[in-house]
Amino acid sequence: MNGKLRLPKQIKKILTKIFVRPWPYWVGGLLIAIANIIYLAVTNKYWAITTGFARFGAWLLEIVGIEVQTWAVWDYYEYLRPWKDRYTFSNLGIIIGALIAILLAGQFKWKKLKNKKQFFLALGGGWLMGYGARIAIGCNIGGLYSAISSLALNGWLYLPFIVLGILIGSKLLQKWLV
Amino acid sequence: MADKKRLNSSGLGIQRKVGGGFLLIALVIYIVLYLFLPPLFAYSWLLGLALGFILQRSRICFTAAIRDPLLFGMTELSRGLILSLMISSLGFAALQYYRLSQGLSLIGRFVPLGWHIPIGAFIFGLGAAISGGCASGTLMRIGEGFQMQLIVLIGFVLGSTHGAYDAGWWYQLIGEQEVTHLPTILNWPKALLLQLGLLIMLYLFAYWWEKYQFRS
Amino acid sequence: MNKLDCIGEPCPLPLMKVEKKIEQLEKGEELKIEVDHTCAMTNVPEWARKRGYKVKSEEVSFGEWEITITKTD
């Protein structure tokens, strides 16, 4: 654009389509499915997120001297320190992958918190998600996406109740803020 | 890019260069992980990068996929994700079938049934609606530069740890039904028929729902 | 000029506000919405188009968009 590199119009159009314009949802959906299938084929593991958050939080407590390894929760999934936990790597990857995508689109902006209300909604909403995901053993990814993909009944049981939660949460938000 | 008259093009160039720089660093990290740690970590890093990129580019948000049909009658995103589930189910099923036929273990995400799932899923949904994004959406938006989602992540870690601490009590709700793999409960043809039938029905319903909501 | 400032607001708030505001507008009136949320930047125009309104979207600064909807009912 500053004259150094003049690409043919056709190629420029394609690059804009890939890197600047939002993709159609079905393209994203298709690629997410393919990425997950490849990951399962290569590693025999499925995509999940929040178990990593629980291990990370527990590790922070361990650092300050609290006994966490005896928690009953680790009977269901092993306690791993962050650098031995594959979720740490995939979670950081999502952040960096999205950062790369938005920078290449030239649409990055550091978006500041708007007000105090937003701060408490964010903290409270995050807290609820974390707590709920631990109870249900899975978030929208491990509990829903990967579970339904695995042809697991637990994924189908998860779906109607996350729908109910989101419906009621959205109605509350509308009442408070609009 | 005629519509960006008010944007200076040097700023755009800088963003792209920084983006390219991060891409390079990410690839170097991949190589380092691959060389020095079990390959699982390198693959997980790559999976994360790919999914973060795809989620950002296609604006996919699981919360919105559930919320927008209910609030605004829009189902394009929901249908995109239903399609995604159809394809991933087929892929997962093929891999599971192959492994089982080779005498290998079953792979996938299975959790014994019980009241912990409805209760947890409901609480998770409430939180996702209030904080403007689910687990994948929160991480993706941190990458996009949202300070708010950083706060969500802090809450998320606190809540997860709190939940993990309380989990022993909640897991008393876990029931007897430990086998949740549909093909094991039914059989392969029936399970696939049920799974794809449900997804196709959801897809068609979503399609009709949008038509109905936006009828003029 | 009808304007909505949705800078810094996460989904679904921008679209909720747009929906409410547009109800109050007369036919032919314009509504300008400023957003910096990449989700709202797609779902607000998507919604307006499905309603049959005229939509224009312009990136006014890095990661900030101004969406103009004309109510045409």
Side-chain angles (χ1 to χ4, degrees), chain B residues 25-37 42:
Chain B
I25 294 169
L27 293 176
V28 171
I29 292 176
Y30 169 74
I31 294 169
V32 171
L33 288 176
Y34 192 83
L35 291 177
F36 297 106
L37 289 175

Side-chain angles (χ1 to χ4, degrees), chain A residues 47-53 90-92 94-95 98 125-126 128-130 133-134 138-145 158 162 166, chain B residues 52 55 60-64 124-125 127-129 131-143 149 152-153 156-157 160:
Chain A
W47 178 30
I49 294 176
T50 40
T51 305
F53 294 165
S90 53
N91 289 347
L92 288 173
I94 294 174
I95 298 177
L128 285 174
M129 280 199 280
R134 268 325 83 208
C139 55
N140 62 307
I141 301 303
L144 187 67
Y145 187 87
Y158 199 98
I162 192 179
I166 287 178
Chain B
L55 288 169
I60 282 185
C61 168
F62 285 76
T63 309
F124 184 88
S131 68
C134 46
S136 51
T138 300
L139 293 174
M140 186 244 309
R141 293 200 177 93
I142 289 173
Q149 259 67 28
V152 177
L153 182 65
F156 219 141
V157 171
S160 299

Side-chain angles (χ1 to χ4, degrees), chain A residues 1 18-26 28-33 35-37 39-50 53-54 56-58 61 71-73 76-77 84-86 89-113 118-119 121-123 125-142 145-154 156-158 161-170 173, chain B residues 4 12 15-16 18-20 22-23 33 37 40-41 43-45 47-49 51-60 62-63 66-67 70-71 76-77 80 83-85 87-89 91-93 95-96 99 107-111 113-114 116-118 120-131 133-136 138-140 142-148 150-153 155-168 170-171 174 180-183 185 192 195 198-199 202:
Chain A
M1 277 132 252
I18 296 176
F19 291 106
V20 182
R21 303 246 178 281
W23 296 348
Y25 296 128
W26 67 267
L30 183 75
L31 292 174
I32 288 173
N36 275 289
I37 294 169
Y39 185 70
L40 185 76
V42 174
T43 66
N44 294 329
K45 310 245 182 232
Y46 51 82
W47 178 30
I49 294 176
T50 40
F53 294 165
F56 181 73
L61 291 181
W71 291 2
V73 72
Y76 295 87
Y77 28 85
K84 289 195 168 170
D85 183 1
R86 70 186 170 99
F89 297 89
S90 53
N91 289 347
L92 288 173
I94 294 174
I95 298 177
I96 301 301
L99 176 66
I100 292 170
I102 200 166
L103 280 169
L104 291 180
Q107 295 170 346
F108 183 84
K109 182 196 161 193
W110 183 241
K111 289 163 262 246
K112 291 212 167 73
L113 266 178
Q118 211 179 44
F119 174 86
L121 282 176
L123 195 69
W127 197 300
L128 285 174
M129 280 199 280
Y131 197 83
R134 268 325 83 208
I135 296 174
I137 319 188
C139 55
N140 62 307
I141 301 303
Y145 187 87
S146 293
I148 290 185
S149 302
S150 308
L151 297 104
L153 209 50
N154 46 286
W156 286 106
L157 178 62
Y158 199 98
F161 293 94
I162 192 179
V163 170
L164 194 66
I166 287 178
L167 176 65
I168 293 176
S170 304
L173 196 69
Chain B
K4 288 186 190 156
L12 185 68
Q15 288 218 2
R16 294 225 162 110
V18 175
F22 271 108
L23 182 62
L33 288 176
L37 289 175
L40 176 63
F41 297 135
Y43 293 135
S44 298
W45 169 247
L47 173 81
L49 286 178
L51 290 174
F53 192 89
I54 299 166
L55 288 169
Q56 202 286 324
R57 289 287 55 233
S58 54
R59 314 278 194 261
I60 282 185
F62 285 76
T63 309
I66 292 173
R67 179 191 60 215
L70 299 171
L71 258 56
E76 230 174 289
L77 171 56
L83 177 84
S84 184
L85 282 171
I87 295 158
S88 64
S89 316
F92 275 46
L95 291 167
Q96 289 171 342
R99 283 180 61 91
I107 44 174
R109 174 72 170 201
F110 305 105
V111 175
L113 300 186
H116 62 295
I117 294 178
F122 176 76
I123 297 176
F124 184 88
L126 274 183
I130 291 172
S131 68
C134 46
S136 51
T138 300
L139 293 174
M140 186 244 309
I142 289 173
E144 284 189 333
F146 283 95
Q147 216 174 51
M148 179 182 176
L150 265 177
I151 310 293
V152 177
L153 182 65
F156 219 141
V157 171
L158 291 171
S160 299
T161 317
H162 181 191
Y165 180 75
D166 284 355
W170 285 104
Y171 291 173
I174 291 178
T180 59
H181 185 229
L182 284 172
I185 299 171
L192 281 174
Q195 170 97 359
L198 275 171
L199 288 171
L202 275 177

